[in-house]
Amino acid sequence: MATKLGLGLPQNRKYDLGRDVPDVARAAEAIGYDSLWVYERLLVPEPATQGLYGIEGLPWPDEYRGVAEPLVTLTLAAAATERVELGSSVLVAPLHMPFRLARTLATLDAVSGGRVLAGFGTGWSHDEYAASSVRPFEERGAALDELIGVCRAVWGPDPVSYDGHVTRIASAVVGPKPVRPIPILLAAGPGPAQRRLVDHADGWLPVAMGAEKLAAQWRGLQELAAERGRTRPIRTVLRANARYLAQGRSGTGRAPFHGSVDQIVEDLAAHAEVGLDEILVELQSGTRDAQELKDVAAEVYEKTRAAGI
């Protein structure tokens, strides 16, 4: 069976969000994409107090300046489409009040006809935590645990109750309910994060760092699932951060998913061989505007399917 394909929605400041998000969403659905995705970035500190991903000296990319709120973006896409799933890769869980986020996701799932995929992570930006977090950075894992617990409770049958560190719900009616239990997917590396995924989540959201490394991570996660007695499948959606370059790049120094459409499709083929369920292709950073984003997305989809991916 062909690997499912998702597309990242335009959220960066060079796009006209009110016009371009519905336009790209409709086009992606017509092209044949299976899902649409958003990511979360609250701010860019100036001067930088921390490197990108917490890596000292690594600069923040310019596209992180002015990233649109992810759930508003998904709502625009939901109103413009009928079939595609609507996912987050990822929402930074500790930056949200658990009860409010659970209700918002449930409402979005209800109005979209059961199409939401809730992708969560713990983040890495100390500045974002200082501006918005409900718990300290050091407690980010516990914050994610509580968010998952609150979501399961709020999305379940009434009466709802929950007693946590941040959230305390006495017996209450909470609605609207999602159309179906919303799948929870986690961005999880080795260690406690993967144990949380195996024990409490529905799926995994890795980032493409090379096919061999991805395959090793996937084997490790499957082995962990077997060790912990998990029998239900783990849904997998790989995030491929692509940068389209009209002239392409050649040579051994080319970064994965950076280059021409043919080069991007070549990398998609290599990663698809790992056997994951779906690949999210993020193109918005390398395209000039919504028209080019749609054109490149269509070419990537057509060449991917022609290649049997």
Side-chain angles (χ1 to χ4, degrees):
M1 186 172 66
T3 304
K4 289 184 176 182
L5 288 179
L7 181 69
L9 287 166
Q11 292 176 262
N12 298 349
R13 62 179 179 173
K14 63 184 170 183
Y15 296 100
D16 182 327
L17 299 168
R19 180 191 66 203
D20 292 345
V21 172
D23 184 33
V24 170
R26 281 189 292 267
E29 186 169 71
I31 290 165
Y33 279 91
D34 298 286
S35 55
L36 298 169
W37 296 81
V38 293
Y39 73 104
E40 184 160 49
R41 188 87 287 131
L42 294 191
L43 51 78
V44 173
E46 288 191 333
T49 57
Q50 181 187 22
L52 184 69
Y53 311 131
I55 300 172
E56 185 176 355
L58 190 63
W60 292 52
D62 186 65
E63 55 259 31
Y64 280 1
R65 299 174 182 273
V67 176
E69 204 285 326
L71 295 180
V72 172
T73 305
L74 274 189
T75 301
L76 288 169
T81 56
E82 298 179 353
R83 172 187 57 82
V84 287
E85 292 186 295
L86 305 161
S88 55
S89 179
V90 294
L91 298 178
V92 182
L95 306 184
H96 299 266
M97 290 299 294
F99 180 73
R100 300 282 301 196
L101 180 59
R103 287 202 69 245
T104 300
L105 290 169
T107 302
L108 182 57
D109 192 73
V111 301
S112 67
R115 294 190 281 142
V116 171
L117 302 172
F120 299 142
T122 55
W124 49 267
S125 170
H126 294 170
D127 294 275
E128 290 183 339
Y129 269 76
S132 185
S133 69
V134 298
R135 297 178 72 167
F137 184 79
E138 293 73 23
E139 298 177 11
R140 59 195 181 279
L144 177 54
D145 287 336
E146 181 162 335
L147 176 62
I148 293 171
V150 171
C151 285
R152 299 291 193 202
V154 168
W155 299 340
D158 293 323
V160 173
S161 61
Y162 187 88
D163 187 11
H165 181 83
V166 173
T167 308
R168 292 179 174 85
I169 309 170
S171 181
V173 174
V174 182
K177 299 294 184 185
V179 172
R180 86 292 192 231
I182 298 173
I184 293 177
L185 295 82
L186 301 181
Q194 285 196 346
R195 290 194 292 274
R196 176 184 298 112
L197 188 159
V198 167
D199 293 345
H200 302 296
D202 301 293
W204 181 41
L205 294 169
V207 176
M209 297 290 186
E212 290 185 7
K213 184 176 180 180
L214 175 66
Q217 290 178 332
W218 179 222
R219 285 193 301 270
L221 184 59
Q222 291 173 302
E223 290 168 1
L224 179 63
E227 290 171 7
R228 299 182 75 82
R230 177 171 175 141
T231 56
R232 60 193 176 99
I234 297 173
R235 181 169 181 173
T236 51
V237 182
L238 175 69
R239 182 182 184 90
N241 291 319
R243 184 171 290 275
Y244 167 69
L245 302 167
Q247 302 304 315
R249 272 187 186 167
S250 60
T252 57
R254 182 177 68 87
F257 298 101
H258 283 49
S260 67
V261 168
D262 288 338
Q263 290 170 325
I264 291 170
V265 171
E266 177 184 327
D267 292 332
L268 284 171
H271 285 75
E273 289 181 1
V274 175
L276 303 188
D277 299 315
E278 185 167 355
I279 301 177
L280 150 63
V281 185
E282 176 63 84
L283 293 167
Q284 66 175 306
S285 296
T287 49
R288 292 169 296 183
D289 53 29
Q291 186 60 53
E292 186 172 60
L293 175 55
K294 291 186 295 180
D295 292 343
V296 174
E299 191 177 356
V300 167
Y301 185 88
E302 291 163 4
K303 290 187 174 181
T304 298
R305 292 305 180 228
I309 299 170

